[in-house]
Amino acid sequence: MRIDTRLAARMEKINPSSTLAITSAAKKLKSQGADVVTLAAGEPDFDTPDFIKQEAIRAIESGFTKYTPTTGIPELKSAICDKFKKDNNLEYAPEQIVVSCGAKHSIFNAIFVLAEEKDEVLIPVPYWVSYPEMARLAGGSVRFIPSLPENDFKLKPKEIEKYITSKAKVLILNSPSNPSGCVYTKEELKDIARVCVENKIFVISDEIYEKIIFDGASHSSIGSFGADIYNLTITVNGFSKSHSMTGWRVGYLGAPLDVANAISKLQDHTTSNVSSISQKAALAAVKADDKFSKEMCAQYQQRRDYCMSRLSGMKKISFVKPQGAFYIFCNISKSKMDSVTFAQKILNEEKVALIPGDGFGKDDCIRISFATSIEQLTKGLNRLEAFLNRI
């Protein structure tokens, strides 16, 4: 028996979160009465629509409170298949669908059944903070692929090919992206699909921000570009961003049957089913039209445009125009501070909470969320401008 530590060695591979450190510090200041402006939110600031809440209430009142099949109730899986076909041009059968406890859970499950020791998980930089830690927990190794701001932080096929080795097993693709807001076009995705097919690399396509896209752009799913890439793609989505259901914890994926079966087996022995009540609420969401998400997206575009107009006039900061999601990823290298120092200083001195970029693989950047009101954005950006002028 190992006697040198009480914890499993795998936990030594997991990095602490600077994101949580900043948000915890902001909450502490707020509890002490400080007027903190939070531009750090990773969730919509809109309430879950009433028609979704009412379906959950009906589920409770009708006694729909027992275990369900591990991978989801049949009617929800069938509705997700319809959604994939209508929105994404993807043909999945119900047995290829797994409903999980949020899109994060879906991504973890996919990585866990695909990657193991000696397998490399390819992750574009900047990345969502949990991707590398999930890969390490699964036993795989991480191979980061830098992207360039002049390319809107989108990878080119040649950049991917340069980082492919014989150990490459999975590429994680996030479009629209957290934190950069980049959105891949059909042509760009087809080029990436070609590289993955040629090298037999799986793609985990994280499409959770699918409904938050600006300027009339459209979303495309990489798995829709032919049978070869379809058979290598795990398409992940959920209800947290599209229907403001972050706390309900419902995500889902569509995958090749062998991958879906493996994930079902894994989930059998971990979480089992998602809350039965949340599944009924999700069924109402997925069967509804896009009215709520379109109205929410229109407001986000107004806020994005306001933020860009303000940031464009500020010193020591630059940004790439986000095409989707609700973040602006700003370069702060001219401040001569790393991202954690910058975030700590502006929180302490101006009472503004921002997310440092080190957790996204870019320590010269900070992430600003515009998932808050124009009033809060105005106050926060005024303080940011004062801070930048002072330093």
Side-chain angles (χ1 to χ4, degrees):
M1 187 176 91
R2 294 172 68 239
I3 58 174
D4 56 326
T5 178
R6 289 160 58 89
L7 302 178
R10 72 175 69 92
M11 296 313 300
E12 297 172 10
K13 301 176 182 178
I14 307 304
N15 294 313
S17 172
S18 58
T19 297
L20 291 179
I22 292 295
T23 52
S24 296
K27 287 177 182 177
K28 184 177 180 180
L29 283 171
K30 273 192 171 183
S31 71
Q32 295 169 347
D35 177 23
V36 177
V37 178
T38 299
L39 304 183
E43 61 181 340
D45 58 315
F46 298 88
D47 195 10
T48 305
D50 284 341
F51 74 90
I52 296 173
K53 294 181 187 178
Q54 290 304 315
E55 195 60 38
I57 292 168
R58 278 192 286 272
I60 294 169
E61 291 177 342
S62 67
F64 193 74
T65 57
K66 305 297 184 184
Y67 293 132
T68 76
T70 291
T71 59
I73 56 176
E75 56 267 43
L76 176 56
K77 294 174 66 172
S78 178
I80 289 169
C81 288
D82 293 340
K83 182 265 177 223
F84 271 135
K85 184 175 182 179
K86 175 174 68 76
D87 290 351
N88 309 99
N89 196 29
L90 288 167
E91 294 273 359
Y92 287 116
E95 55 266 30
Q96 293 177 269
I97 304 298
V98 180
V99 180
S100 300
C101 305
K104 177 186 282 190
H105 187 204
S106 297
I107 295 164
F108 177 82
N109 283 347
I111 293 173
F112 201 86
V113 304
L114 291 174
E116 56 189 347
E117 190 176 353
K118 297 182 180 177
D119 289 333
E120 289 181 346
V121 179
L122 308 179
I123 300 178
V125 180
Y127 47 79
W128 181 52
V129 294
S130 292
Y131 294 152
E133 312 312 326
M134 290 176 178
R136 293 178 183 122
L137 277 171
S141 60
V142 177
R143 194 163 176 82
F144 293 115
I145 307 178
S147 64
L148 300 172
E150 52 263 39
N151 293 332
D152 294 335
F153 291 116
K154 293 189 281 189
L155 293 183
K156 303 295 183 182
K158 288 183 179 179
E159 293 168 341
I160 300 172
E161 289 169 335
K162 189 165 64 174
Y163 284 83
I164 291 174
T165 72
S166 60
K167 298 177 182 178
K169 184 71 176 291
V170 180
L171 169 69
I172 301 180
L173 201 61
N174 181 204
S175 176
S177 164
N178 174 10
S180 74
C182 77
V183 176
Y184 283 88
T185 65
K186 281 185 179 181
E187 291 70 26
E188 290 165 339
L189 289 173
K190 286 178 180 178
D191 288 340
I192 293 173
R194 175 185 53 77
V195 171
C196 292
V197 168
E198 288 174 355
N199 292 276
K200 296 181 174 59
I201 295 172
F202 283 97
V203 179
I204 297 175
S205 183
D206 180 358
E207 304 181 10
I208 192 67
Y209 290 95
E210 169 193 24
K211 298 295 183 181
I212 306 175
I213 292 184
F214 309 126
D215 304 320
S218 60
H219 171 79
S220 297
S221 296
I222 192 169
S224 67
F225 300 124
D228 290 339
I229 189 63
Y230 172 88
N231 288 320
L232 289 169
T233 300
I234 296 85
T235 309
V236 175
N237 214 316
F239 302 93
S240 60
K241 308 304 190 289
S242 60
H243 294 83
S244 198
M245 293 176 67
T246 51
W248 299 76
R249 306 315 301 140
V250 191
Y252 57 88
L253 59 77
L257 186 57
D258 58 338
V259 177
N261 286 341
I263 291 173
S264 173
K265 192 190 308 182
L266 172 63
Q267 197 161 298
D268 279 343
H269 297 291
T270 50
T271 61
S272 297
N273 62 276
V274 174
S275 159
S276 58
I277 299 153
S278 291
Q279 288 189 66
K280 283 290 190 178
L283 178 60
V286 76
K287 291 177 72 174
D289 59 32
D290 285 340
K291 182 175 183 290
F292 172 77
S293 58
K294 286 179 178 178
E295 291 175 351
M296 185 169 58
C297 186
Q299 291 198 45
Y300 282 138
Q301 181 162 329
Q302 291 177 3
R303 297 175 189 179
R304 179 206 62 169
D305 292 347
Y306 171 72
C307 289
M308 289 194 304
S309 69
R310 290 294 311 277
L311 291 166
S312 295
M314 295 186 193
K315 301 174 183 177
K316 302 185 180 74
I317 199 165
S318 61
F319 62 91
V320 172
K321 181 180 181 179
Q323 300 161 308
F326 39 69
Y327 313 106
I328 299 185
F329 204 48
C330 298
N331 187 290
I332 52 154
S333 56
K334 289 182 180 179
S335 73
K336 308 299 182 185
M337 284 182 263
D338 62 66
S339 63
V340 175
T341 301
F342 188 100
Q344 289 172 338
K345 281 182 70 67
I346 194 170
L347 178 61
N348 293 333
E349 296 178 15
E350 294 288 347
K351 304 300 183 287
V352 177
L354 306 172
I355 298 298
D358 73 325
F360 304 105
K362 293 286 288 182
D363 201 21
D364 58 353
C365 294
I366 50 98
R367 192 192 74 179
I368 296 173
S369 169
F370 47 89
T372 190
S373 67
I374 287 288
E375 291 73 22
Q376 286 295 296
L377 288 171
T378 300
K379 186 187 291 188
L381 292 171
N382 286 345
R383 295 179 184 183
L384 172 61
E385 187 168 25
F387 178 74
L388 290 169
N389 288 336
R390 188 168 66 252
I391 63 172

